[in-house]
Amino acid sequence: MLLEGKSVFGGIAIGRLSVYNKKEHQVKRSKVADAAAEIARFTTARETAKEQLAGLYEKAVKEVGEAGAMIFEVHQMMLDDLDYVESVTNMIGTQQVNAEFAVATTGDNFSSMFAAMDDDYMRERAADVKDISNRVISILLGAESGALSGEEPVILLADDLAPSETVQLDKSRVLSFVTRLGSTNSHTAILARTMNIPALIGIDFAEDVDGKLGIVDGYTGTLIVEPDETTLADYREKKAAEEEKKRLLQELKGKENITLDGKKINLYANIGGVADVAGALANDAGGIGLFRSEFLYLESNDYPTEEAQFAAYKTVAENMAGKKVIIRTLDIGADKQVDYFGMEKEENPAMGYRAIRICLDRTEIFKTQLRAIYRASYYGTISIMFPMIISVAEVKRIKEIIAEVKAELSKQGIPYKDCEIGIMIETPAAVMISDLLAKEVDFFSVGTNDLTQYTLAIDRQNPKLDAIYDSHHEAILRMLRLVVENGHKENCWVGICGELGADTSLTETFLQMGVDELSVAPSMILKVREAIRNSRAE
Ligand code: PEP
Ligand code: MG
């Protein structure tokens, strides 16, 4: 059986299919003879749940940083909530019911109570109280929690995976991600790219494929369930060839990004969070060319604090040990929605209230982020860039705000370094006035994903238009040329951080245009290095 979807990262995976089901237990009510013993069972299970959560917190801090891990701390606190604990123990004591039933009922009651509240933040807690109750029930029932129960690595199938779910997965046992929903920019897609494993979205699988053998073809965007012998042999051969290619690429580690005629170029990595730094370093990135800071906001249930952001930026700067780290300020809106921002529904979100427009309007959010970045700048080499710029006035306003932030830090005696300031070129307006913008900043980084969308008037999220969403369009190539030319006239270096930067069929063209830097997914670095070393810049 062949199911078609869309690939968000190439590669081949062969293995057992495992359908990820969120655990919702069927709990039956039963009478217990010894209520005190039942309360003791609940107390032990609650302690075990807290230990599990403490473990998950530690794991998450390493993988996604403190902001992303905070949810597990909140869950531990909820398990200590007196009202919650008393509700369960009273129910067991007065009604002589089993602990599972008391926990499930309390979980439902508290969850409905939260769901009915006016405050957005409190409403969000409804899902959390269900989550902690399910965890305690799993422990009481002696059931496994999570999706991966056996030892064997699997192809993981799900509707979609939330960051709080992926963080709990033992990633060494995932061969590939396949989701029904999700988009090219979904958390799962970015995770797959970073883990260097194939991933598909839009695959409408049946639940009964669980446990069957499957093949993920990340080149064609297909999932083959129960392949016949010939297909299987065919794919085993393709996979072996792919592994050989990867092995050969490893030999490029430590080598320079230099063309046949001696021109050097910077090759950096795109990351979404602290956890991705390891992949960037393992693949020999010369720096971080795009840190999509909005993932800190997307993974959080509320505005990440200055401290949480500072911790994340500082960790990245320190781990990169003096290599350049370009942090892009918050780019939410359009395809990246965050509930707690309370944004109104828009007719045209891609052309709406997003990115720098929000930051220049809600300056308290912007200033918190800039303070965190400047504080972290002291611990490495940080540059800052701003998304969705359309005018010189925006850049001037940004510079005023930066000056305010720096003055405040100086006044408080908090150390910081001066950072290189750059902008993303991802609107046709920015391209056309790049001569003027170049006078204001130190560098440009071309976001070809959005630049293609706005230039060709094609929604980058619309699967129907995928075939004509053409980043190789002559319009885009001319724009790139113009931006490099205008940038260089004002001593402004120019990079590409959109997906096109990793397109090796254009590497030589970029070099000949005079592009100074390419920033790509960590797993693409060595492939692009190979292309650079086979190119001529003149
Ligand atoms: C881009 O638009 O090319 C880009 C790099 O930014 P994002 O994909 O995060 O919008
Ligand atoms: Mg963009």
Side-chain angles (χ1 to χ4, degrees):
M1 185 176 31
L2 190 123
L3 299 171
E4 289 187 28
K6 185 176 174 201
S7 169
V8 289
F9 195 62
I12 288 163
I14 305 173
R16 295 270 152 219
L17 303 173
S18 174
V19 178
Y20 179 87
N21 283 317
K22 295 187 197 332
K23 291 261 181 270
E24 290 265 352
H25 300 284
Q26 292 296 331
V27 173
K28 291 206 184 80
R29 177 191 177 117
S30 58
K31 277 261 175 214
V32 291
D34 185 349
E38 199 61 10
I39 289 173
R41 256 186 89 223
F42 165 64
T43 308
T44 314
R46 192 166 67 89
E47 286 309 319
T48 309
K50 277 164 50 185
E51 280 164 26
Q52 285 181 355
L53 288 163
L56 283 171
Y57 175 79
E58 292 302 323
K59 185 165 182 279
V61 167
K62 287 197 201 100
E63 292 182 351
V64 296
E66 272 175 48
M70 213 150 68
I71 187 66
F72 299 113
E73 217 169 43
V74 173
H75 281 194
Q76 287 178 70
M77 281 177 343
M78 288 176 109
L79 276 171
D80 276 333
D81 179 72
L82 270 187
D83 289 338
Y84 180 84
V85 175
E86 268 177 23
S87 164
V88 176
T89 50
N90 283 345
M91 200 179 290
I92 300 173
T94 57
Q95 300 178 30
Q96 307 260 297
V97 288
N98 52 326
E100 289 87 341
F101 182 78
V103 172
T105 311
T106 301
D108 285 347
N109 291 344
F110 275 61
S111 168
S112 319
M113 194 172 75
F114 280 125
M117 290 185 178
D118 282 339
D119 185 279
D120 283 347
Y121 179 79
M122 294 311 279
R123 260 204 312 276
E124 292 227 350
R125 301 285 77 78
D128 293 318
V129 79
K130 273 245 163 113
D131 225 26
I132 59 159
S133 302
N134 276 330
R135 182 175 295 280
V136 177
I137 295 167
S138 290
I139 295 164
L140 286 165
L141 292 172
E144 293 248 19
S145 62
L148 307 172
S149 42
E151 284 294 303
E152 191 191 5
V154 293
I155 294 169
L156 196 65
L157 283 74
D159 270 343
D160 204 356
L161 289 163
S164 69
E165 291 166 322
T166 52
V167 84
Q168 298 191 47
L169 293 173
D170 176 355
K171 298 188 191 60
S172 63
R173 300 208 353 250
V174 182
L175 298 170
S176 169
F177 291 111
V178 176
T179 61
R180 288 197 177 103
L181 311 170
S183 72
T184 318
N185 296 310
S186 64
H187 180 76
T188 318
I190 298 211
L191 184 65
R193 255 174 241 140
T194 312
M195 287 168 64
N196 201 4
I197 58 173
L200 309 177
I201 56 173
I203 296 274
D204 194 16
F205 58 87
E207 299 288 321
D208 68 1
V209 299
D210 191 58
K212 292 182 177 161
L213 187 67
I215 298 174
V216 170
D217 186 335
Y219 300 107
T220 58
T222 47
L223 172 70
I224 305 167
V225 182
E226 293 190 309
D228 57 39
E229 277 308 316
T230 331
T231 313
L232 194 59
D234 215 29
Y235 271 98
R236 287 212 168 109
E237 214 169 285
K238 275 190 199 157
K239 188 161 175 52
E242 188 183 62
E243 266 157 22
E244 174 60 11
K245 242 196 230 158
K246 270 192 203 159
R247 198 189 58 73
L248 285 174
L249 282 180
Q250 293 303 310
E251 291 174 6
L252 288 175
K253 275 198 195 162
K255 301 236 164 100
E256 282 186 311
N257 307 305
I258 189 166
T259 60
L260 293 168
D261 48 354
K263 183 180 162 134
K264 287 187 199 166
I265 180 168
N266 290 320
L267 187 51
Y268 296 162
N270 292 349
I271 62 165
V274 178
D276 301 343
V277 174
L281 289 171
N283 286 291
D284 217 10
I288 302 297
L290 167 63
F291 178 173
R292 288 185 161 97
S293 69
E294 57 275 9
F295 281 94
L296 288 176
Y297 294 73
L298 288 164
E299 286 168 6
S300 179
N301 289 323
D302 202 348
Y303 297 98
T305 59
E306 181 183 316
E307 283 313 309
Q309 292 190 61
F310 166 63
Y313 305 145
K314 176 172 176 263
T315 307
V316 174
E318 283 178 339
N319 289 351
M320 291 307 292
K323 289 183 175 153
K324 191 176 287 196
V325 174
I326 305 178
I327 300 176
R328 171 176 73 189
T329 58
L330 182 60
D331 181 20
I332 62 153
D335 51 315
K336 299 175 198 138
Q337 291 290 336
V338 184
D339 287 350
Y340 55 84
F341 270 72
M343 297 206 287
E344 281 164 28
K345 208 165 160 24
E346 295 175 294
E347 285 290 327
N348 277 310
M351 295 203 248
Y353 189 60
R354 61 171 293 195
I356 201 67
R357 299 168 186 181
I358 299 178
C359 289
L360 291 180
D361 181 36
R362 297 178 65 180
T363 45
E364 74 291 355
I365 297 176
F366 194 36
K367 273 187 150 179
T368 303
Q369 179 170 38
L370 287 171
R371 272 183 65 96
I373 296 176
Y374 270 100
R375 283 175 57 194
S377 70
Y378 187 67
Y379 301 89
T381 309
I382 289 182
S383 305
I384 315 176
M385 74 175 167
F386 303 93
M388 286 297 292
I389 295 295
I390 57 167
S391 71
V392 174
E394 281 170 341
V395 180
K396 291 208 157 129
R397 179 69 191 122
I398 290 168
K399 286 175 31 181
E400 279 169 19
I401 296 173
I402 288 177
E404 285 168 30
V405 166
K406 291 206 296 201
E408 276 167 29
L409 290 174
S410 299
K411 204 164 151 207
Q412 291 171 301
I414 298 173
Y416 64 87
K417 286 189 199 159
D418 267 332
C419 300
E420 222 187 5
I421 302 292
I423 56 169
M424 295 201 55
I425 302 283
E426 48 187 354
T427 62
V431 173
M432 297 316 291
I433 58 165
S434 49
D435 54 337
L436 306 176
L437 291 167
K439 295 186 202 298
E440 301 292 332
V441 295
D442 302 308
F443 68 96
F444 289 154
S445 187
V446 186
T448 50
N449 308 338
D450 276 316
L451 186 60
T452 306
Q453 149 163 285
Y454 297 123
T455 304
L456 305 186
I458 292 176
D459 178 358
R460 69 192 251 194
Q461 297 280 103
N462 188 338
K464 262 203 191 126
L465 303 174
D466 248 14
I468 54 167
Y469 175 92
D470 176 17
S471 294
H472 288 217
H473 195 292
E474 183 56 26
I476 303 296
L477 299 179
R478 284 189 195 181
M479 285 179 156
L480 275 165
R481 261 184 214 109
L482 181 65
V483 171
V484 175
E485 229 176 80
N486 282 337
H488 285 179
K489 274 187 209 149
E490 298 292 339
N491 271 334
C492 183
W493 65 261
V494 182
I496 301 176
C497 65
E499 298 300 305
L500 194 68
D503 187 332
T504 49
S505 68
L506 286 175
T507 307
E508 190 160 56
T509 311
F510 296 149
L511 283 156
Q512 290 173 359
M513 283 179 183
V515 169
D516 304 288
E517 177 243 23
L518 294 171
S519 190
V520 303
S523 54
M524 294 302 289
I525 289 174
L526 295 174
K527 205 168 163 217
V528 176
R529 175 169 298 163
E530 183 185 39
I532 294 168
R533 294 172 67 88
N534 287 326
S535 297
R536 289 195 170 275
E538 291 303 324

